[in-house]
Amino acid sequence: MVTTAPVSAAETPDAAAASPSAASPNTVATSVPSPSAARRYPPTLGFVLSWSLWALTAAVTLAVPDRLDAASPQAVGIGFAAWTFAFGVWGIVAYGRRGVTVLLRHWTPWIGVLAAWMLLWEWSTAKTGWLIPPHFASPQHMLLVFYEDGGLLISCTWHSLVLLLTGFAIGVVGGLITGIATGWSKAVAYWANPLLQTIGPVPPATLLPLVFILSPSTYLGSVFMVSLGVWFPVAFLTRVGIAGVVRGYFDVAQTLGASNRFLIWRVAVPGALPSIFTGVFMGLYASLAALAVAELLGVKNGLGWYIQWTKGWAAYPRMYAAILIMIVVASTAILGLFRLRNRALAWQKDLVRW
């Protein structure tokens, strides 16, 4: 037999309402989590390993003596230590913030691979001398190059950017005009298609001798080469995109009284944007290749010229620095174009898989 204890004065209805534990068995107690009980995101094993690799890289760089002479040998180690500290702060901040945690966990594998690469690079060059100059450079030597030739590298980068942007803009505009005209007008397509099919596929580097003979200056010839590399893919894929727009869209617009200008700019061009962006991406790759060739053999300033000049003097660390800058410039341009494409084609995200 189960006996029931008498109810005390403390267990009044008011107290029962105030205390969830004193509520009747049929009442489901609900508790509101306090702000102090917010979700936490502890560091993952990958983060611990990545941070440990960076800490080991900084310790090796600062503690182990260098076999190769370099000015300010501890500067790289201090940089590694500063990044290790910043990486740890990033992990601490991510402990209580989901958005920061998602970003951190996304990039942690790459950060760990970069740490392993830096450790291997530092150990095989500066610390052991397994890879010796002039063909191989340690991180200390690379940092010294950016310090000593920083002004010249900035000037060369600026000239390369001006040349690239000028040629790229001319090529994109010319390609859009050619593609829209050939995709819309059969008469224009009759005369322009043979040029697209003959001159367009020719690599710009093949025309380099002819361009520099006919051009009044090497700079204008370089601009033409970059523009030619962009023009063909943009023109061809713009034409293909406009020709592929569903005919029913034009019929509906014409039924509502749309003019030819409206049909071109409000129906044909928006419908061809996915194909146009594909052509712009291909043109950007071609323009970067044409830029490197033009600067290697033509203009007297720019990253390509700097690479050729330093190679002639066997100054390989300086050559590697220019190549690294070119990689950063190309990657930044591609990422910027991706962002522009994502914004312009945001309506596609629910229709196709990017």
Side-chain angles (χ1 to χ4, degrees), residues 27-293:
T27 304
V28 178
T30 58
S31 60
V32 178
S34 62
S36 60
R39 186 173 179 181
R40 303 299 183 185
Y41 303 92
T44 61
L45 178 61
F47 173 82
V48 175
L49 292 177
S50 299
W51 187 91
S52 301
L53 279 174
W54 277 110
L56 179 61
T57 303
V60 168
T61 306
L62 292 172
V64 179
D66 292 347
R67 292 284 299 273
L68 303 177
D69 295 332
S72 302
Q74 301 300 319
V76 174
I78 295 174
F80 287 157
W83 164 245
T84 304
F85 175 77
F87 190 39
V89 172
W90 189 3
I92 295 174
V93 173
Y95 182 72
R97 299 185 180 182
R98 184 179 183 278
V100 181
T101 302
V102 171
L103 184 64
L104 176 62
R105 292 182 179 179
H106 175 76
W107 288 109
T108 292
W110 278 108
I111 294 175
V113 170
L114 182 61
W117 165 254
M118 286 295 179
L119 179 60
L120 178 63
W121 182 19
E122 176 71 19
W123 184 258
S124 61
T125 54
K127 301 306 178 184
T128 61
W130 293 342
L131 304 177
I132 59 176
H135 296 92
F136 299 97
S138 65
Q140 286 84 339
H141 286 97
M142 294 299 299
L143 183 63
L144 184 62
V145 167
F146 284 105
Y147 177 77
E148 292 182 342
D149 274 17
L152 183 57
L153 286 171
I154 292 175
S155 175
C156 291
T157 304
W158 170 252
H159 282 83
S160 294
L161 285 175
V162 171
L163 176 57
L164 176 64
L165 293 177
T166 303
F168 183 76
I170 294 174
V172 168
V173 173
L176 287 174
I177 294 174
T178 305
I180 293 172
T182 55
W184 185 259
S185 172
K186 293 183 178 180
V188 176
Y190 173 81
W191 294 103
N193 280 343
L195 294 177
L196 283 173
Q197 296 170 2
T198 54
I199 299 178
V202 177
T206 307
L207 305 176
L208 182 65
L210 181 62
V211 168
F212 284 145
I213 290 174
L214 300 178
S215 176
S217 66
T218 56
Y219 182 80
L220 292 178
S222 300
V223 171
F224 174 78
M225 287 186 58
V226 175
S227 302
L228 181 62
V230 181
W231 169 77
F232 172 66
V234 174
F236 181 77
L237 287 171
T238 300
R239 172 181 173 274
V240 170
I242 290 179
V245 176
V246 179
R247 179 64 186 175
Y249 296 160
F250 297 105
D251 295 337
V252 172
Q254 287 176 327
T255 302
L256 298 175
S259 62
N260 282 336
R261 176 180 294 183
F262 185 94
L263 292 176
I264 294 174
W265 298 107
R266 296 298 183 90
V267 180
V269 172
L273 273 181
S275 182
I276 292 174
F277 270 105
T278 302
V280 173
F281 273 105
M282 296 177 62
L284 181 58
Y285 289 117
S287 67
L288 292 169
L291 173 70
V293 174

